[in-house]
Amino acid sequence: MKPYTVQFILFLTLCALSNPVCAQLTWQEQQSLKKENEGLKAPFKGITTNGTIQEGLFKLYSTGVTTEPVRNAAVAFLESLDDVQREKTKFSIDDDEWRKWMNQDYYVRQGVGFIEMSEKQRKAAFDLMGASLSAKGLKLSQDIMKLNYTLGEISGNMERYGEWRYWITIMGEPSETEPWGWQMEGHHLIINYFVLRDQVVMTPLFVGSEPVIADIGKYKGVSILQDEQDSGLKMLRALNDEQKSKAIIAPSTAGNNVLTAAWSDNVILDYAGIKASSFTRAQKDQLLLLIQLYVDHMDDGHAKVKMDEVQKYIDDTWFAWIGGSGDDAVYYYRIHSPVIIIEFDHQKPLGTKKLYGNDVHRQHIHAVVRTPNGNDYGKDLLRQHYLEHPHEHK
C-alpha cells in the first residue's frame, strides 16, 4: 500500500471530524470516497475542446431500431433478483451513480455483483448484455472477465481479482417511452448504456486487460483487443511521411497516456495530430474501419446509427499517435471528432511485472470510447427530453 499523501490525511481528518463513521471505513472505501468527492465537485458538462459545448450535434429522433429486447431483458434481470438485491441495484435516471465508475480494482462499486449472483441471475445479467451488445461486444466483455481471473492466477490474489468481480446497476425504470439505462462496472470493464425510446448512447465505455493474452491458466488462449491494436498501427502506416509527421505528437511512450478515463467527464481536450480532411478517400475509409471496431460493440442496429453519425463528421475527425511504428512497437493513439473520442494505450505492467517487467508492454491495454460535447451517458438527449417534458424532471 502506498503511504497516504498530506492532502488525503487532511481529507480523512476533516471527514472524521464531521462524521466519526468515516474514520472506520476500510482503505478501499476511503479511497473510493476521496475519488468521488474530487471527481464530482463540478456538475456534468461533457468533454470539450475549449470549455464550450458544440451545440446541435445530437437530436431526439426515431432511429427505427427497436430497444424492446433490451427493455425485456432488463425487466427479466430485475425480476431475477431478490428484494434486497433489487433495492441496491436501482437508481434514478439522473443519479450521479452514472458518473461513479473507475477502472481500478479496489473501487467500491454499487449494484449487484456477479460474485453474489446465482447461476440463474448471472444468465439474466448476460442476457441483458447480449440484448444490448453485439455478439462481438458480449464476447469481449466475457473475455475481459476471464482475463481478470487470469490476473488473479498470476498474482495469486483471487480476493482482489477474479471473473465475477463485476457489478450491474439499473438507472430509471426500463420503459418503452421514458429514459432509462444500465451500467456494468469492474476492473478493465465499464459499460454505460443509456436508452431513450429507440435511441441508445453507449459511452463512456472502458475496456482493457492485463494480460490481454492468457498464456497460462484456466483461460489459456483467450485474447482481446488485437484487432484494435493492429488496425491502429495499420492506420498510421497508411499515412505518407508528411502526414505521419503531423499525426505523431511524440515519438515514444512511457505508457498511461489515456486522458478520458474515470472522473474526466468535463475534461478540456483539444484536437491533436492530423485532421482527416487532408486524407485520401482510401485513408478516410481506413479510419472509419478503425472507428467501427469500437462502435461495433453495440448491437448491430445502433452501431450502424452511430457510424452514420461518425461518418457525417469524418472531415472534422483527428488522428494522433504517440510511440513507435515497428511490428512490436508500443503506442497510444487517439481518434477525436465532435461526436466520438477513442483512446487506445499500451500500459506499464502492474500485476504482471514478474512476467513482463516494468516497461510499457503490449500485455496491458486500456481503451476508452467517449461521446464529447455533453452526450456521455446520454446526458444531452436526457436534457432535451426534459425540455420537451418538464413535468417528468423532478
Side-chain angles (χ1 to χ4, degrees):
M1 183 187 303
K2 294 182 179 179
Y4 293 150
T5 64
V6 173
Q7 292 85 352
F8 186 47
I9 292 172
L10 177 61
F11 164 79
L12 289 181
T13 303
L14 293 173
C15 179
L17 287 172
S18 61
N19 182 3
V21 175
C22 180
Q24 301 173 21
L25 299 178
T26 66
W27 177 83
Q28 288 84 358
E29 290 168 334
Q30 291 168 352
Q31 288 283 41
S32 299
L33 182 61
K34 176 177 181 284
K35 291 291 187 181
E36 289 175 6
N37 274 278
E38 292 175 347
L40 300 178
K41 279 181 180 177
F44 177 86
K45 179 177 183 177
I47 298 173
T48 62
T49 58
N50 58 11
T52 301
I53 294 290
Q54 184 175 338
E55 297 181 352
L57 296 170
F58 311 105
K59 305 289 186 183
L60 294 177
Y61 72 103
S62 175
T63 66
V65 181
T66 182
T67 54
E68 192 65 2
V70 184
R71 186 187 70 83
N72 290 336
V75 170
F77 171 67
L78 287 170
E79 289 177 347
S80 77
L81 304 180
D82 63 38
D83 291 344
V84 174
Q85 291 172 318
R86 193 177 304 111
E87 176 66 24
K88 68 180 182 178
T89 298
K90 296 180 70 175
F91 293 82
S92 66
I93 184 60
D94 52 4
D95 197 286
D96 274 343
E97 182 59 30
W98 278 116
R99 300 179 63 194
K100 294 180 182 179
W101 60 269
M102 277 181 66
N103 168 57
Q104 283 81 350
D105 64 89
Y106 68 77
Y107 186 55
V108 178
R109 309 176 198 277
Q110 303 305 312
V112 60
F114 279 78
I115 197 166
E116 67 184 271
M117 293 182 195
S118 66
E119 286 301 316
K120 179 181 178 182
Q121 291 170 335
R122 286 179 186 171
K123 181 182 183 304
F126 283 131
D127 285 347
L128 171 58
M129 295 169 66
S132 309
L133 310 177
S134 63
K136 172 189 172 183
L138 178 60
K139 183 177 187 302
L140 172 64
S141 301
Q142 292 175 320
D143 285 347
I144 289 172
M145 296 169 74
K146 291 174 182 176
L147 288 167
N148 204 45
Y149 183 94
T150 303
L151 181 56
E153 290 178 312
I154 292 171
S155 65
N157 191 343
M158 284 299 180
E159 288 300 312
R160 183 172 177 180
Y161 307 113
E163 185 174 359
W164 304 122
R165 294 190 174 277
Y166 295 85
W167 283 258
I168 289 182
T169 52
I170 303 289
M171 317 301 181
E173 292 289 342
S175 169
E176 295 180 50
T177 58
E178 302 306 314
W180 70 280
W182 61 270
Q183 181 186 74
M184 180 175 182
E185 194 195 358
H187 191 211
H188 286 127
L189 178 61
I190 294 99
I191 304 170
N192 290 282
Y193 198 95
F194 172 85
V195 181
L196 178 54
R197 293 187 283 274
D198 65 4
Q199 288 183 270
V200 166
V201 177
M202 200 176 89
T203 63
L205 173 69
F206 186 114
V207 292
S209 186
E210 181 191 16
V212 297
I213 301 174
D215 293 325
I216 61 169
K218 178 180 179 180
Y219 293 118
K220 182 178 180 179
V222 170
S223 67
I224 64 163
L225 298 174
Q226 297 304 288
D227 287 343
E228 290 82 353
Q229 171 184 272
D230 298 344
S231 294
L233 184 57
K234 185 177 180 181
M235 180 69 244
L236 180 73
R237 290 175 171 177
L239 305 179
N240 62 39
D241 290 344
E242 181 181 355
Q243 290 172 319
K244 284 179 186 175
S245 69
K246 294 178 180 178
I248 299 173
I249 58 177
S252 62
T253 176
N256 305 2
N257 295 291
V258 172
L259 299 172
T260 65
W263 318 116
S264 301
D265 289 337
N266 298 336
V267 70
I268 297 175
L269 179 61
D270 201 358
Y271 295 121
I274 185 170
K275 194 175 183 181
S277 58
S278 67
F279 285 9
T280 65
R281 182 68 260 172
Q283 290 171 331
K284 289 178 185 178
D285 288 344
Q286 187 76 39
L287 182 58
L288 285 167
L289 287 173
L290 178 56
I291 295 170
Q292 189 159 4
L293 286 176
Y294 294 88
V295 173
D296 274 355
H297 295 128
M298 304 170 69
D299 70 273
D300 296 344
H302 289 102
K304 183 181 184 305
V305 170
K306 183 62 181 181
M307 284 306 300
D308 288 344
E309 182 181 82
V310 166
Q311 189 155 11
K312 181 178 178 181
Y313 294 96
I314 191 63
D315 284 338
D316 296 316
T317 304
W318 293 69
F319 179 72
W321 187 273
I322 297 174
S325 58
D327 289 346
D328 298 318
V330 289
Y331 43 81
Y332 161 93
Y333 65 81
R334 181 166 72 244
I335 300 165
H336 188 177
S337 89
V339 296
I340 195 167
I341 298 173
I342 296 169
E343 294 188 277
F344 174 98
D345 197 27
H346 289 125
Q347 300 262 309
K348 290 183 177 181
L350 292 173
T352 61
K353 284 183 180 179
K354 65 182 181 182
L355 294 178
Y356 307 117
N358 296 313
D359 295 331
V360 182
H361 203 282
R362 285 189 165 204
Q363 277 283 39
H364 190 183
I365 291 174
H366 288 181
V368 184
V369 184
R370 287 276 200 162
T371 306
N373 290 301
N375 206 31
D376 269 334
Y377 316 100
K379 290 285 191 181
D380 193 51
L381 297 186
L382 184 62
R383 177 189 64 81
Q384 294 178 62
H385 175 76
Y386 284 151
L387 287 174
E388 289 188 0
H389 308 278
H391 62 283
E392 295 173 7
H393 189 193
K394 298 179 181 180

